[in-house]
Amino acid sequence: MSTTAEPINRNKKFIDHLFKRCQEDKGFAARLRRANNPATEYQSWEVLGAFGVDLEKKHERQAYATVAAALANSRAQQNGSLTLGKAIAMSFPDGNEDKQAIARLRRLLACDSIPETCLVLRPLLSLIQSRVTQALDYEQLLGDLLWFGERTRARWAQQFYARSEQKEDNL
């Protein structure tokens, strides 16, 4: 009998393992980075399969591959606490009031499947990593992708539009 804690533990173990191995083995990290490209994604399957990811289920495989590639491309040494919505806002000069940031968020929120979301998310994660120094919460991102739906999209929007304490002081 499975519990809801099992996927969470599995996700945490997966993320922790990736951070550890990426720091120890640059070849491992390089194989994970190739998961960003659908033509070379298969090079990450050995890692995904070892964690019990069902490679025949495109939605599951792509969620894990997208997060693994983003993690391998990051400069982070461990899992962070930055949420996706907040990271998108932080990637633009005017934060959640930036027209380009809003357009990127809206495109992400318009997705209706995990494969489409992963496709839209890949370049967005690269943008975030190039502009934001704080580490993403990859474990949460993986969970969001695996349980993608209306609640996930609403959570991302809530994170994006949440006012920072500094903005609240200026109101």
Side-chain angles (χ1 to χ4, degrees), residues 81-91 105 108 117 121 124-125 128 136-137 140-141 144-145 152 155-157 159-160:
S81 59
L82 184 61
T83 61
L84 180 62
K86 184 162 181 68
I88 295 169
M90 290 173 65
S91 297
L105 177 71
L108 183 62
T117 303
L121 197 54
L124 191 52
L125 289 170
I128 290 167
L136 278 170
D137 185 342
Q140 179 64 52
L141 178 59
D144 286 350
L145 288 174
T152 298
R155 186 177 323 109
W156 290 343
Q159 294 162 355
F160 178 85

Side-chain angles (χ1 to χ4, degrees), residues 7-35:
I8 294 168
N9 288 337
R10 177 181 170 200
N11 294 351
K12 179 175 178 22
K13 287 178 184 176
F14 180 72
I15 297 300
D16 290 346
H17 175 74
L18 294 186
F19 272 113
K20 185 175 187 289
R21 286 288 311 275
C22 283
Q23 291 170 13
E24 296 171 352
D25 183 354
K26 299 302 176 196
F28 177 85
R31 283 191 304 278
L32 290 182
R33 283 193 292 275
R34 289 186 196 106

Side-chain angles (χ1 to χ4, degrees), residues 35-147:
N36 242 359
N37 182 336
T40 57
E41 176 192 292
Y42 69 89
Q43 293 183 26
S44 68
W45 290 3
E46 176 183 346
V47 177
L48 303 181
F51 268 87
V53 175
D54 188 342
L55 300 175
E56 292 182 12
K57 292 182 180 174
K58 185 176 184 178
H59 64 279
E60 182 178 345
R61 183 186 75 234
Q62 285 189 332
Y64 275 92
T66 299
V67 172
L71 187 153
N73 278 315
S74 78
R75 295 178 298 271
Q77 299 295 311
Q78 61 186 13
N79 196 37
S81 59
L82 184 61
T83 61
L84 180 62
K86 184 162 181 68
I88 295 169
M90 290 173 65
S91 297
F92 294 88
D94 294 329
N96 63 7
E97 295 174 8
D98 190 286
K99 287 181 175 24
Q100 210 177 8
I102 293 168
R104 296 278 186 124
L105 177 71
R106 285 182 178 160
R107 176 60 188 106
L108 183 62
L109 299 179
C111 296
D112 60 2
S113 70
I114 294 171
E116 180 187 10
T117 303
C118 290
L119 188 65
V120 170
L121 197 54
R122 285 176 176 141
L124 191 52
L125 289 170
S126 293
L127 176 76
I128 290 167
Q129 290 169 341
S130 71
R131 295 184 177 178
V132 179
T133 57
Q134 199 174 343
L136 278 170
D137 185 342
Y138 292 99
E139 186 180 338
Q140 179 64 52
L141 178 59
L142 179 57
D144 286 350
L145 288 174
L146 291 172
W147 295 97

